[in-house]
Amino acid sequence: MSGIEIIPFGQAERPPRARWLAPLSVMLGSAVTLIPLIASVPILPPFGLMMLLGWRMIRGNSMRVWAPVPLGLFDDLVSGQPLGSAMLLWTLCVLAIDVLDTRLVWRDFWQDWVIATGGVGFCLAAGRLFAAPLWAHVDTALLFQLLAAAAFLPVIFRLCAWLDRDAKKV
Amino acid sequence: MAPPGNRRPGFSRRAQYGLFFTYVGAISGALAGAVLLLVSAFNPPAFAALRRAVAEVITPVSSGLAWASDGVAGVPSVVGSYFAVHSENARLKKQLTDERALVTRAQTLVRENAKLRALLKLRDVGNEIVVTARLVNSSATSTRRYATLNAGLWQGVRQGQPVREAGGLVGQVIESGPNTARVLLIVDAESIVPVRRTRDGLPAIAAGRGDGLIEIRSAGAAAMIFRPGDAFVTSGTGGIFPPDVPVAHVVKPGRDVAVAEPAANPSVLDFAIVQPSFLPPPPPPPTPSPTPAATPAAQ
């Protein structure tokens, strides 16, 4: 707002607020399951994972590589999945995106969207295999959950970019 | 955005090792997650204490949200009932006079029934209520169907107790904390309820399908035919669920296996009723008493 912020010589720059806001917003996304709704099918998209992927796509250095481990633990505690499921899957997802980043020269919005949707789909499918027995009739609901997540992802990207608006443009 | 091209953080050894160890941390964290996953797959109640602790902290948020949403959703009906109250009063008075004869007859029947039951020495099934509480949230992102009950050990809710509403069975308490409890709904894919058909007492098993419906499997005779509309109630077998609580009714015809719709719809549920287990759990096996020879000599 005020143009140039003057930092006295010898003092460190103020760290961007994404440092604390990114983990907090991922936890708030996980806590969306607290809304008073007794669902008889999985209807809510996994907002915690979507926030994590949003931050990873919009600002790759906002969180450490190991950040999905504690965040996934929190998600497991509130989501009803067996403990360790999100810890493992979210970390694998972020590591896979790191590997993809070494291959891609440039990511645009569409590639962000495709990669994040793939990540959500991987976590949903693997989480379903861990949590529910194979004969459970949850696959149609899971597909709709993935479609809802894909539709929400652009909004999540905008939200992450908005939360990150204090970052210095380089 | 552009991915960082060169991932080396510079010439500083310290920075390079720091980056390396974040990856070591991530991978070992993922492995720890895999170990936790294996433990919770083979022993599902393993981390119940941890989940209970988190639930104790976050359930008040959920209850507050439920209370607020009820307040907002209730406004139209409050306004409507304010204007409709006079006509409703007249209608109810008329209904009361109309039904007085019916009530008298029902009272006579109840007394007669009680007398006959006493003659038959029937063991009356207890209709005690442990607590009436709200289901405040559920695992809406997961493929499992858990709900959180806003009452726990302090209110007398114990593991294994059945949860129902007026219309039918809702689920069973699987973990109980001081002020919250975790309920496994009967539509969960790993929930199994012993039931019988109301028409002829045919024993069957009601297993959740995971998509909000219930699968009725024949437990007795082979080649059983289920017709749409067949209603099933709990049979009391197993001693957890009290008998004669409505569970589901068949919607699609089937042979040996049929798809049914649950009698209670937890998504429109206001309050859930927790009942004591139908039969108390068996006492623990007696521990072998130490032989007198094995005890050390008293000083």
Side-chain angles (χ1 to χ4, degrees), chain B residues 153-204:
Chain B
L153 289 170
W154 290 342
Q155 286 82 13
V157 179
R158 298 281 179 280
Q159 189 191 349
Q161 288 174 339
V163 181
R164 60 170 296 185
E165 60 151 343
L169 191 67
V170 172
Q172 182 189 1
V173 176
I174 51 162
E175 285 167 18
S176 179
N179 217 4
T180 61
R182 204 158 184 239
V183 177
L184 181 73
L185 303 181
I186 55 169
V187 291
D188 183 86
E190 292 196 350
S191 154
I192 281 182
V193 182
V195 291
R196 61 183 168 77
R197 189 152 64 184
T198 46
R199 186 149 52 83
D200 54 0
L202 171 92

Side-chain angles (χ1 to χ4, degrees), chain B:
Chain B
M1 68 168 269
N6 184 2
R7 292 150 63 81
R8 282 171 73 91
F11 290 108
S12 158
R13 278 275 175 214
R14 191 187 141 118
Q16 287 171 10
Y17 284 137
L19 186 64
F20 174 69
F21 282 118
T22 58
Y23 279 91
V24 172
I27 290 170
S28 47
L31 289 178
V35 171
L36 289 182
L37 193 59
L38 278 179
V39 172
S40 46
F42 289 106
N43 181 16
F47 305 104
L50 200 56
R51 268 195 298 266
R52 277 203 301 258
V54 174
E56 286 299 321
V57 177
I58 62 178
T59 304
V61 180
S62 232
S63 318
L65 286 175
W67 178 79
S69 73
D70 272 12
V72 173
V75 166
S77 72
V78 167
V79 172
S81 64
Y82 181 79
F83 288 108
V85 72
H86 285 291
S87 60
E88 196 180 5
N89 192 10
R91 191 177 58 77
L92 287 178
K93 270 185 181 154
K94 186 171 174 297
Q95 197 179 350
L96 198 63
T97 50
D98 289 352
E99 288 182 350
R100 194 162 290 153
L102 197 65
V103 169
T104 320
R105 202 163 141 251
Q107 280 170 340
T108 329
L109 283 177
V110 165
R111 210 171 305 131
E112 195 181 328
N113 196 13
K115 226 179 277 173
L116 289 174
R117 286 176 83 91
L119 282 178
L120 280 172
K121 301 264 186 306
L122 265 183
R123 180 174 173 275
D124 265 326
V125 175
N127 252 340
E128 316 98 273
I129 291 173
V130 173
V131 69
T132 305
R134 305 188 65 117
L135 291 175
V136 285
N137 66 355
S138 69
S139 55
T141 58
S142 168
T143 48
R144 300 301 303 273
R145 301 270 57 85
Y146 297 112
T148 308
L149 185 78
N150 198 6
L153 289 170
W154 290 342
Q155 286 82 13
V157 179
R158 298 281 179 280
Q159 189 191 349
Q161 288 174 339
V163 181
R164 60 170 296 185
E165 60 151 343
L169 191 67
V170 172
Q172 182 189 1
V173 176
I174 51 162
E175 285 167 18
S176 179
N179 217 4
T180 61
R182 204 158 184 239
V183 177
L184 181 73
L185 303 181
I186 55 169
V187 291
D188 183 86
E190 292 196 350
S191 154
I192 281 182
V193 182
V195 291
R196 61 183 168 77
R197 189 152 64 184
T198 46
R199 186 149 52 83
D200 54 0
L202 171 92
I205 286 169
R209 279 165 50 105
D211 60 350
L213 295 174
I214 283 179
E215 197 171 80
I216 302 280
R217 303 179 193 144
S218 155
M224 274 316 305
I225 293 172
F226 297 110
R227 288 194 300 236
D230 279 0
F232 286 83
V233 295
T234 50
S235 63
T237 316
I240 288 174
F241 302 103
D244 297 332
V245 182
V247 174
H249 60 268
V250 173
V251 287
K252 267 192 217 159
R255 183 180 283 268
D256 283 333
V257 173
V259 177
E261 205 170 71
N265 182 1
S267 55
V268 295
L269 182 69
D270 280 336
F271 283 94
I273 302 165
V274 184
Q275 291 193 311
S277 298
F278 176 48
L279 296 176
T287 49
S289 54
T291 54
T295 54
Q299 304 224 344

